[in-house]
Amino acid sequence: MGDWGMRPASPADVEAVAGLRAVVLRDDLERLGRYDPWRVRQRLRDGFDAAHTWVIEVGGAFAGCVALRPAVDAHWLEHFYLAPDVQGGGVGSGVLRALLERCDRDGVRVRLNVLRGSAARRLYERHGFTVESEDAVDVFMVRPPSSWAPPGPGRPAA
């Protein structure tokens, strides 16, 4: 699915993102015995920061979001949700690759947490994330910056 892009989020995007979060996380949260339709949306509203969030669009239509929040020792990858009808088509990998390339250029480590048992964990592992710790609900993962450097004198293109 090559026709995707990202645009900066605005505060007006919060309800669309909260609704998508409820859809995307429902199965995993129900499996963990933690699904509450109000709480799943409110937690997003409470943590939404448009300044560090992008809306993902496919064919010009809302299809998801992702946030990259700076912290002291890393950036936190958060609120990475894709509509079910675009999952599995390469959009998630493309978005993640673009964000990780930015972090690699800046020499920044990336952290995230994923729900225990979530299929999304495989996506993160394919992109170099490893488990740092876990609890009954969440798996905390980290990815150090790669040694990627742009092609230039003495560094041929791959």
Side-chain angles (χ1 to χ4, degrees):
M1 197 171 288
D3 183 21
W4 66 270
M6 293 192 299
R7 65 165 173 82
S10 76
D13 292 311
V14 70
E15 289 306 317
V17 173
L20 179 60
R21 181 178 197 265
V23 169
V24 171
L25 295 184
R26 183 175 187 143
D27 289 346
D28 285 331
L29 289 171
E30 284 180 342
R31 180 180 38 76
L32 294 167
R34 304 197 42 110
Y35 183 75
D36 175 321
W38 179 84
R39 186 168 186 240
V40 72
R41 288 171 176 84
Q42 192 59 43
R43 286 193 65 185
L44 182 283
R45 291 178 191 116
D46 292 344
F48 187 79
D49 182 354
H52 301 293
T53 304
W54 293 269
V55 168
I56 302 163
E57 296 177 329
V58 174
F62 175 81
C65 73
V66 64
L68 195 60
R69 179 180 52 84
V72 173
D73 69 335
H75 284 353
W76 279 88
L77 183 72
E78 300 174 321
H79 308 305
F80 191 9
Y81 312 118
L82 282 177
D85 62 322
V86 300
Q87 291 177 12
V91 174
S93 287
V95 169
L96 188 54
R97 194 169 27 257
L99 293 175
L100 293 176
E101 285 173 1
R102 289 182 197 182
C103 293
D104 289 346
R105 281 192 300 270
D106 295 340
V108 176
R109 137 183 347 144
V110 181
R111 295 183 187 283
L112 61 84
N113 68 293
V114 62
L115 290 170
R116 187 183 279 271
S118 172
R121 178 175 169 173
R122 290 190 301 276
L123 170 70
Y124 300 132
E125 288 171 336
R126 285 194 308 269
H127 285 86
F129 285 86
T130 58
V131 174
E132 193 168 38
S133 66
E134 50 190 296
D135 61 28
V137 176
D138 292 306
V139 177
F140 295 88
M141 303 181 82
V142 64
R143 180 189 177 274
S146 77
S147 58
W148 179 89
R155 292 187 311 271

